[in-house]
């Protein structure tokens, strides 16, 4: 049992090291990569623009539920005036970065893992190498850079729509005064809260998209599965590990910044 | 004359490639003469494509050497770094994959332009000219805006060929360039390779199962059998050698006719279907 535990630990450390090297090489290969702008724009579109509907819908419902729950809970203690700060700080410091990252992993991350896995299986990545084109610069760098642009913007969208959801819930559907809601948010939210949100969005973006790229790019190394099943296994693994990674990184960042 | 000028353009020395415990290439020593077309033939699963990928540096080999102009390539390179020698080789080499390996998110035009845009410093006007020429030569000029998924298998093969030749390489590695093509297209592809080879003077290595076409269009043949080069020589030498393995390949059409006649007469299936 100790041996199995040791082997698992070594494998985890080895994979973490491999992921770190992959990520550094991915970012570094952006230097000198030709026509990067066009591929970056495509990645921003795929990770960002195409994910706007799901971010808006999930953000709105998160705000609605948060407003509803918080109103009834705070009302019991006669503190419903604190609803605005509660909704805003919960969204900005926790829910917006975490839930937006999970949504982006589910939609964009899984798609890019599958795309890279298929490109690996159909020898498109080998073809790039034989043409003297660095596959990291061509395929990985634009996706990693796009994540650094898209995740903060999507997180901001999520938080904004969530705040509107909270207002709809508490001030339109329930009797809280709208001016109290917005004024209390304005007083409660500080620059440090927004910074924490931004740091989380950047870390989650780099972490999850690196994990997704790594899994797709190395789909051929999967043991126990080949071809389409290797792509499927890589996609599942990318989504599961990214989700776990987001929550673990969230705890670490919160404990450092709180 | 310098060693580089007299050495074969590409060669392997005691090349070994394993996948786990399975030895695919046991001891492959092969020379690719400069400016000639070499066909590598052999049974399915004998490692012809693996050999080609080792030559191109797509697959790392486990033993022996790949030599480019007499100098070790990739991991075996003594001077500079292995990556640099491989990069220099790739600037002068093209590879046509068995499954074409076209980038499915790019149009036909973008696929052909890709190696020029990404791996050369040619001006845009020159790139446009070369891509137009390559598409015209392969009769694809009207399909420039189509994606590979919107093309037939034959068109995809021609597109891959256009991409392989657009950089005007010194050496082209063809991995079963006629797989999945009808006999007319097959002949056309071999004729095209021979024509392009004469026009541009590149050195070609063609992995193929099409023996008659290979004999008609290639200068040299090498037969890979059980991880080793069993025969290497000209088509005339191939026709004359008494080697039984070569003879089984050479006489395969006659053997097929005999097997069919025997099956019709009630005999059992031949044992070797591998």
């Amino acid at each position: 049992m100790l041996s199995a535990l040791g082997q698992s630990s070594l494998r985890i450390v080895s994979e973490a090291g491999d992921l770190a090297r992959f990520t550094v090489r991915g970012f570094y290969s952006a230097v000198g990569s030709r026509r990067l702008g066009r591929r970056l724009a495509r990645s921003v579109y795929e990770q960002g623009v195409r994910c706007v509907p799901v971010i808006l819908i999930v953000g709105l419902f998160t705000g609605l539920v948060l407003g509803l729950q918080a109103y009834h809970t705070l009302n019991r203690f006669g503190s419903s005036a604190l609803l605005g700060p509660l909704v805003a700080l919960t969204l900005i410091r926790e829910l917006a970065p975490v839930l937006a990252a999970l949504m982006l992993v589910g939609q964009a991350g899984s798609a890019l893992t599958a795309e890279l896995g298929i490109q690996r299986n159909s020898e498109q990545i080998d073809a790039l190498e034989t043409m003297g084109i660095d596959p990291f610069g061509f395929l990985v760098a634009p996706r990693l850079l796009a994540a650094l642009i898209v995740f903060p913007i999507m997180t901001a969208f999520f938080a904004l729509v969530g705040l509107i959801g909270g207002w709809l819930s508490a001030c339109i559907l329930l009797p809280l005064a709208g001016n109290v809601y917005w004024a209390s948010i304005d007083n409660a939210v500080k620059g440090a809260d927004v910074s924490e949100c931004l740091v989380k969005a950047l870390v989650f973006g780099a972490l999850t998209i690196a994990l997704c790229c790594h899994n797709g790019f190395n789909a051929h190394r999967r043991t126990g599965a080949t071809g389409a099943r290797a792509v499927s296994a890589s996609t599942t693994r990318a989504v599961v590990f990214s989700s776990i990674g987001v929550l673990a990184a969230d705890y670490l960042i919160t404990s450092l910044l709180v | 004359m310098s060693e580089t000028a007299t050495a074969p353009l590409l060669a392997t020395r005691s090349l070994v490639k394993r996948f786990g415990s399975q030895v695919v290439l046991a001891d492959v020593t092969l020379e690719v003469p400069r400016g000639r077309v070499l066909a590598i033939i052999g049974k399915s699963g004998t490692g012809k494509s693996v050999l080609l990928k080792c030559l191109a540096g797509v697959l790392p080999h486990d033993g022996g050497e790949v030599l480019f102009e007499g100098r070790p390539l990739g991991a075996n390179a003594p001077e500079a770094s292995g990556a640099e020698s491989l990069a220099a080789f790739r600037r002068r080499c093209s590879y046509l994959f068995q499954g074409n390996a076209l980038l499915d998110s790019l149009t036909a035009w973008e696929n052909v332009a890709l190696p020029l845009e990404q791996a050369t410093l040619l001006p845009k006007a020159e790139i446009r000219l070369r891509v137009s020429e390559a598409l015209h030569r392969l009769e694809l000029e009207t399909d420039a805006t189509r994606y590979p998924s919107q093309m037939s298998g034959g068109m995809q093969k021609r597109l891959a060929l256009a991409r392989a030749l657009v950089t005007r390489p010194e050496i082209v590695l063809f991995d079963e360039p006629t797989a999945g093509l009808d006999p007319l297209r097959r002949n056309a592809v071999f004729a095209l390779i021979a024509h392009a080879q004469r026009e541009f003077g590149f050195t070609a290595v063609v992995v193929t199962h099409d023996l008659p076409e290979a004999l008609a269009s290639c200068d040299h043949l090498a037969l890979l059998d059980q991880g080793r080069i069993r025969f290497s020589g000209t088509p005339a030498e191939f026709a004359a050698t008494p080697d039984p393995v070569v003879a089984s390949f050479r006489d395969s059409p006659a053997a097929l006719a005999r097997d069919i006649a025997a099956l019709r007469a009630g005999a059992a299936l031949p044992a070797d279907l591998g």
Side-chain angles (χ1 to χ4, degrees):
Chain A
M1 187 189 150
L2 274 176
S3 164
L5 192 67
Q7 279 177 356
S8 299
S9 306
L10 281 175
R11 199 172 58 244
I12 290 167
V13 171
S14 163
E15 288 199 13
D18 198 31
L19 175 68
R21 270 195 325 180
F22 180 91
T23 310
V24 170
R25 191 174 165 191
F27 277 117
Y28 182 72
S29 63
V31 181
S33 181
R34 292 188 196 157
R35 298 184 179 232
L36 182 64
R38 203 165 55 179
R39 299 195 304 282
L40 179 61
R42 183 184 164 223
S43 293
V44 168
Y45 173 76
E46 284 176 352
Q47 285 178 32
V49 179
R50 285 171 66 172
C51 297
V52 166
V54 72
I55 290 290
L56 296 186
I57 291 166
V58 175
L60 183 69
F61 280 106
T62 303
L64 281 167
V65 170
L66 204 54
L68 192 63
Q69 288 279 18
Y71 179 83
H72 287 294
T73 307
L74 292 172
N75 210 25
R76 276 191 228 163
F77 304 101
S79 311
S80 55
L82 291 175
L83 186 138
L86 179 71
V87 170
L89 293 175
T90 309
L91 276 170
I92 292 169
R93 294 177 66 158
E94 283 300 331
L95 291 184
V98 169
L99 290 181
L102 293 177
M103 292 303 110
L104 289 169
V105 165
Q107 180 157 342
S110 59
L112 82 83
T113 307
E115 187 181 354
L116 287 176
I118 290 166
Q119 287 186 311
R120 171 61 77 186
N121 270 358
S122 58
E123 298 181 313
Q124 293 177 43
I125 295 176
D126 290 338
L128 289 173
E129 285 185 10
T130 62
M131 287 188 273
I133 302 167
D134 179 12
F136 277 83
F138 193 80
L139 299 170
V140 179
R143 288 171 165 95
L144 286 176
L145 293 176
L148 298 185
I149 299 168
V150 165
F151 274 67
I153 294 172
M154 290 296 120
T155 301
F157 275 167
F158 191 105
L160 188 65
V161 175
L163 288 176
I164 294 170
W167 169 77
L168 281 173
S169 189
C171 306
I172 304 296
L173 303 174
L174 293 166
L176 189 73
N179 58 342
V180 173
Y181 178 81
W182 292 115
S184 61
I185 288 173
D186 194 30
N187 287 331
V189 177
K190 307 288 180 220
D193 302 317
V194 178
S195 299
E196 185 179 336
C197 178
L198 182 67
V199 168
K200 284 183 176 179
L202 286 171
V203 172
F204 296 166
L207 176 70
T208 57
I209 297 302
L211 263 164
C212 291
C213 285
H214 183 258
N215 275 283
F217 202 84
N218 295 311
H220 62 310
R221 288 202 206 152
R222 279 288 142 261
T223 47
T226 55
R229 292 191 75 180
V231 176
S232 151
S234 296
T235 308
T236 305
R237 190 182 150 93
V239 172
V240 169
F241 277 65
S242 296
S243 305
I244 295 169
V246 163
L247 296 173
D250 183 44
Y251 175 76
L252 278 175
I253 297 169
T254 305
S255 60
L256 285 172
L257 297 181
V258 76
Chain B
M1 287 175 82
S2 71
E3 189 189 331
T4 303
T6 54
L9 190 60
L10 196 59
T12 64
R13 200 184 288 158
S14 303
L15 197 70
V16 177
K17 178 65 191 171
R18 299 183 202 93
F19 292 102
S21 59
Q22 188 193 359
V23 180
V24 177
L25 303 176
D27 178 9
V28 174
T29 298
L30 179 70
E31 289 189 353
V32 183
R34 192 180 291 268
R36 300 296 175 88
V37 181
L38 167 74
I40 300 175
I41 56 172
K43 285 184 196 172
S44 300
T46 50
K48 300 184 296 297
S49 296
V50 171
L51 172 58
L52 208 63
K53 284 179 180 169
C54 287
L55 284 175
V58 173
L59 279 178
H61 49 273
D62 300 309
E65 287 182 316
V66 176
L67 304 166
F68 182 56
E69 294 184 321
R71 293 186 188 134
L73 196 61
N76 299 114
E79 78 271 351
S81 72
E84 279 174 32
S85 69
L86 196 57
F89 167 68
R90 283 175 174 163
R91 280 194 289 275
R92 297 163 65 184
C93 173
S94 278
Y95 193 110
L96 184 88
F97 284 82
Q98 188 175 349
N100 303 320
L102 295 162
L103 272 81
D104 42 24
S105 57
L106 302 181
T107 63
W109 176 281
E110 289 166 340
N111 263 290
V112 178
L114 186 67
L116 299 177
E117 287 177 344
Q118 293 290 326
T120 72
L121 295 170
L122 289 172
K124 279 184 182 174
E126 174 69 13
I127 292 175
R128 272 199 297 274
L129 185 70
R130 282 211 202 177
V131 175
S132 297
E133 271 178 13
L135 290 174
H136 175 72
R137 185 177 290 123
L138 276 299
E139 299 171 25
L140 288 166
E141 63 266 58
T142 55
D143 303 293
T145 56
R146 293 172 76 181
Y147 287 90
S149 60
Q150 298 168 321
M151 295 176 154
S152 68
M155 289 166 79
Q156 288 182 17
K157 188 63 77 182
R158 281 184 282 147
L159 182 59
L161 201 53
R163 188 178 69 181
L165 299 180
V166 76
T167 52
R168 298 180 186 168
E170 289 175 51
I171 181 159
V172 189
L173 308 176
F174 297 93
D175 191 358
E176 301 204 21
T178 54
L181 296 185
D182 62 76
L184 292 177
R185 285 278 182 215
R186 213 161 55 206
N187 289 348
V189 167
F190 272 101
L192 189 75
I193 291 171
H195 177 74
Q197 194 274 332
R198 267 193 293 279
E199 190 178 347
F200 299 116
F202 58 74
T203 302
V205 182
V206 186
V207 164
T208 183
H209 287 114
D210 301 321
L211 189 56
E213 289 85 349
L215 283 169
S217 61
C218 298
D219 304 302
H220 279 73
L221 276 110
L223 175 72
L224 188 65
D225 183 55
Q226 297 184 345
R228 290 180 171 79
I229 297 295
R230 177 89 184 197
F231 168 87
S232 177
T234 64
E237 289 166 341
F238 184 84
T241 181
D243 185 295
V245 177
V246 175
S248 70
F249 259 83
R250 193 175 54 208
D251 305 332
S252 57
L256 174 66
R258 276 199 308 275
D259 287 344
I260 296 290
L263 281 170
R264 283 182 180 147
L269 274 173
D272 183 13
L273 290 174

